[in-house]
Amino acid sequence: MRIEFTAPGVAVPKARPRFTRSGRTYTPAKTQAFEKQIALMARQAMADAGVRRIESSAVSVLAYFYYTPPQSWTKRRKQEVVEKITVPKTTKPDIDNLKKAVLDGMNGVVFADDALVSRISAEKLYSYEFGNSTKIIVYTEDDQGTAK
């Protein structure tokens, strides 16, 4: 089984839980919206591929978080992105929080539990070609999937 999808927009990292005055916890709205978008795109990709939720197989996830370069960059730095198509992003948000948001969005949709994920690879990149987007590839261990 293999699905691949791209979610448009800026990736939102998993934020820390917030607390109300009465002591209840909640996930911030921005994080919830991103997780819902990932879940929606994953459902659509699964429907298009004609696959069902993974219940017990080991799962691998590849995640590519694309960002457009900042306007403040010099022409030279911007040209480097144009020539190389992608350049590593070494600023916030942290990649581990981005991965958490993606896995939480797919939890219960693509796989029964995110404990089934045995391998995950993620990259944060600047790119004009891909703009602000998140590309996700999910496959089971019996299927091989490598692509950018």
Side-chain angles (χ1 to χ4, degrees):
M1 191 282 317
R2 176 189 163 106
I3 63 165
E4 185 175 321
F5 62 93
T6 301
V10 177
V12 178
K14 182 75 172 187
R16 293 181 186 270
R18 304 291 186 224
F19 299 92
T20 64
R21 290 181 183 173
S22 63
R24 297 182 68 185
T25 61
Y26 67 95
T27 302
K30 206 171 178 183
T31 301
Q32 281 184 347
F34 180 68
E35 290 175 358
K36 285 180 183 177
Q37 181 186 23
I38 293 294
L40 179 70
M41 300 300 291
R43 276 190 193 93
Q44 184 63 48
M46 290 172 68
D48 292 347
V51 297
R52 305 183 104 197
R53 181 171 70 179
I54 302 164
E55 299 292 337
S56 61
S57 298
V59 177
S60 293
V61 177
L62 304 175
Y64 301 96
F65 303 98
Y66 297 110
Y67 296 87
T68 55
Q71 291 291 325
S72 61
W73 275 14
T74 63
K75 286 183 181 179
R76 184 174 171 200
R77 282 187 80 185
K78 289 178 182 178
Q79 186 60 34
E80 179 186 3
V81 175
V82 170
E83 290 170 2
K84 293 184 178 178
I85 301 173
T86 62
V87 173
K89 181 180 187 323
T90 57
T91 58
K92 297 245 182 219
D94 295 348
I95 200 163
D96 59 327
N97 294 330
L98 290 167
K99 291 187 307 186
K100 285 179 203 171
V102 166
L103 291 179
D104 286 351
M106 292 190 298
N107 195 21
V109 176
V110 177
F111 31 78
D113 187 9
D114 55 5
L116 294 173
V117 177
S118 63
R119 183 181 305 152
I120 185 165
S121 175
E123 292 184 48
K124 288 187 312 184
L125 304 161
Y126 284 117
S127 177
Y128 286 114
E129 185 173 326
F130 300 110
N132 289 320
S133 63
T134 303
K135 182 174 184 174
I136 307 295
I137 302 169
V138 180
Y139 60 95
T140 54
E141 290 303 312
D142 58 341
D143 188 19
Q144 295 298 317
T146 55
K148 271 196 180 182

